[in-house]
Amino acid sequence: MKRIALGLALLLLYACSQDPQESTNNNVDATEQEQTDGWVHGAMATAANPHAVAAATEMLEKGGHAVDAAIAAHAVLGLVEPQSSGLGGGAFLLVYERETGDLDFYDGREVAAAGATVDMFMRDGQVMSFVEAWQSGKSVGVPGAVALYQYSHEQHGRLPWADLFAPAIRLATDGFEVSPRLAKYLPMMEERSRLAKNPDTAAYFYPGGKALQVGDLLKNPDYAETLSRIATEGISAFYTGEVAESIAASAQAEPNGGTLTAADMEAYTVSARPVICGAFRDLNICTTSPPSSGGAQIMIAALYDHLSADAAGPMDKISAFVDAQRLAYADRDHYFGDPDEIDIPLDDLLNPEYIRHRATERIAPAAVPTPGDPVMVLHGEPTANRWSPDTTEEAAGTTHLSIIDADGNAISMTATIEGFFGSQRWASGFLLNNEMTDFAREVPADGSRPANAVAPGRRPRSSMSPSMVFDANGDLMMVTGSPGGNSIPAYVAKTIVGVLDWGMSAQEAVDHPNIIARGENVRVEISVDPGQAIASDLKEKGYNVQERDGENSGLHIIVVGPDGLDGAADKRREGVVRTVQKGQ
């Protein structure tokens, strides 16, 4: 999207249901000083591990662009947080250029191998269990993260390419202390997965047959070697030659090997896709288009604005938030997939008239939400029956980082290897993704096909929704995003509504209990106040509430206010926030 103003003119998604002046958040308006003197807020980075934030800060202090900082940070995350993302996975990257107003979305999502088939997760008419599919070679897609590094650096980078990998190479060579979160998962994975059985991962994570402990010094010379080659040779060192061949060999290995080849690796390309924006009162939410679920994010906010218009108090607003999610998720699950392969009625799903109509379909609290039919509503032509129901499961092996540089440029990046530790398959110092399980694994017996069905070269639907919010003048107000599988739209929408409507600071919005309403059940995080009160109120109103002691969000957000940058890191993970003052 080449100018935010142009994008909003084309993609204004719904009429405001309240007076623009009624917004309760007075801390995100652009200041006169910004308008006359330029960006005065300095830089900030927030991500899921202190080492990653230190790498981002190192790039920002050198005068790097937010994209430079993101690449450096993510290369470190792949080392110190291997359970969540890495070189063997993919990512969505949203980039804002303050001087020009450009906002771009780069899709580094994994791609199905040429040998993938629609029924590859089926056996004798029965769908393979998620656990079996998760650890199979069939689950491995062509990784996109490294190609995304180069593509975005060519468009936005300032620092030399090789400099971006120096922090991760140092850590991999000299070693880093195993964090509590990484150590916590290893005993569980030993029992439930092949992580302690596959030779390479067993040697790395379970040296001498024992799981790594908190504080153990962990070195990864193979990772350092792979990054060193990428730094000096470019991404051809990853997508061709020894590294590509090691990835293919690992994906094809038994048990339950897949079809990914070195030729699939070499064929990978990043896709530059449209940014979609929608109005929230006098503000504008901008996010990523399919195969991302950013559109669901906009739908939740739009539906919430309609459904909360008559809310009598905070708890009624929570109910409106729940119902907005239920309606938006039903549509997301039914229609979203790879836009290069299927015709997604996205414009109709986000059309103001359809949103208003959909808000009138607020269903009984205990009812099962069903998808709407936007084409029928707007054009009188039924289309919902083109796709069969889809209940794709998405695991939560994902991470998010938000960065603003010293010139006010920003990135929102969500990266993944899908499940915890991906497929547990190892190549050249890193884990491979199991992203193909993000497709609809079951092939309906009636011959119909989900929108998110497996196909060669296709990208599976993703819940990842990196997002930004802009004020009426087009000035950046907020950068947000989260990991969390299918819960991502709910997590991220919570921060947007929390800051923009509930009057919360960045950290208050992140800390607030997570509430996820996909399907007939509503999950409420009761271990965080006022989670128990919310759960009790929703139960009294008739909702099927599932009380949860914790949620797997990893929200990292930055809010731009008149007094500077207000950043937050999710305490549910190990993230930190760090500010770099302008001129530092």
Side-chain angles (χ1 to χ4, degrees), residues 479-504:
V479 183
T480 185
S482 180
N486 275 310
S487 301
I488 290 174
Y491 293 157
V492 180
K494 178 196 70 169
T495 65
I496 292 174
V497 173
V499 170
L500 302 182
D501 188 60
W502 300 343
M504 296 177 173

Side-chain angles (χ1 to χ4, degrees), residues 75-301:
V76 169
L77 285 170
L79 175 68
V80 301
E81 194 195 35
Q83 69 271 23
S84 296
S85 71
L87 305 184
F92 291 152
L93 178 63
L94 189 63
V95 184
Y96 169 61
E97 288 283 355
R98 182 176 177 274
E99 182 176 355
T100 62
D102 289 359
L103 189 60
D104 296 295
F105 166 33
Y106 304 130
D107 172 3
R109 183 75 162 147
E110 300 88 340
V111 171
T117 61
V118 68
D119 61 349
M120 69 183 189
F121 293 117
M122 299 288 292
R123 283 183 176 171
D124 301 323
Q126 299 297 315
V127 65
M128 190 183 297
S129 72
F130 177 77
V131 172
E132 186 178 6
W134 164 36
Q135 299 172 76
S136 72
K138 301 175 188 296
S139 73
V140 181
V142 182
V146 176
L148 180 65
Y149 290 170
Q150 178 175 285
Y151 191 97
S152 59
H153 184 260
E154 289 173 348
Q155 304 299 317
H156 305 277
R158 294 176 183 162
L159 299 179
W161 170 254
D163 289 4
L164 310 182
F165 303 98
I169 293 171
R170 287 197 306 267
L171 278 172
T173 302
D174 298 338
F176 63 94
E177 290 187 357
V178 172
S179 73
R181 188 165 183 268
L182 172 55
K184 178 185 75 172
Y185 286 121
L186 294 177
M188 176 187 73
M189 297 300 292
E190 186 173 10
E191 294 180 3
R192 302 181 185 179
S193 79
R194 294 189 56 82
L195 194 69
K197 298 180 179 67
N198 294 335
D200 291 330
T201 55
Y204 185 70
F205 294 109
Y206 304 90
K210 296 182 179 180
L212 292 166
Q213 301 294 307
V214 176
D216 284 351
L217 186 69
L218 184 58
K219 299 181 180 181
N220 190 337
D222 290 341
Y223 191 81
E225 172 63 21
T226 297
L227 286 185
S228 295
R229 292 188 58 184
I230 293 170
T232 56
E233 302 171 33
I235 66 169
S236 62
F238 186 86
Y239 287 96
T240 63
E242 294 178 3
V243 175
E245 290 168 1
S246 73
I247 292 171
S250 182
Q252 293 175 23
E254 294 298 334
N256 210 356
T259 62
L260 190 148
T261 66
D264 291 321
M265 291 290 298
E266 189 171 5
Y268 185 85
T269 58
V270 171
S271 291
R273 299 195 184 277
V275 175
I276 52 176
C277 295
F280 186 80
R281 300 168 186 168
D282 62 338
L283 311 176
N284 300 287
I285 301 168
C286 293
T287 185
T288 47
S289 57
S292 162
S293 291
Q297 195 94 324
I298 291 173
M299 290 184 72
I300 292 172

Side-chain angles (χ1 to χ4, degrees), residues 17-29:
S17 62
Q18 301 187 38
D19 189 311
Q21 301 304 313
E22 290 180 357
S23 176
T24 60
N25 185 352
N26 298 316
N27 297 320
V28 291
D29 294 330

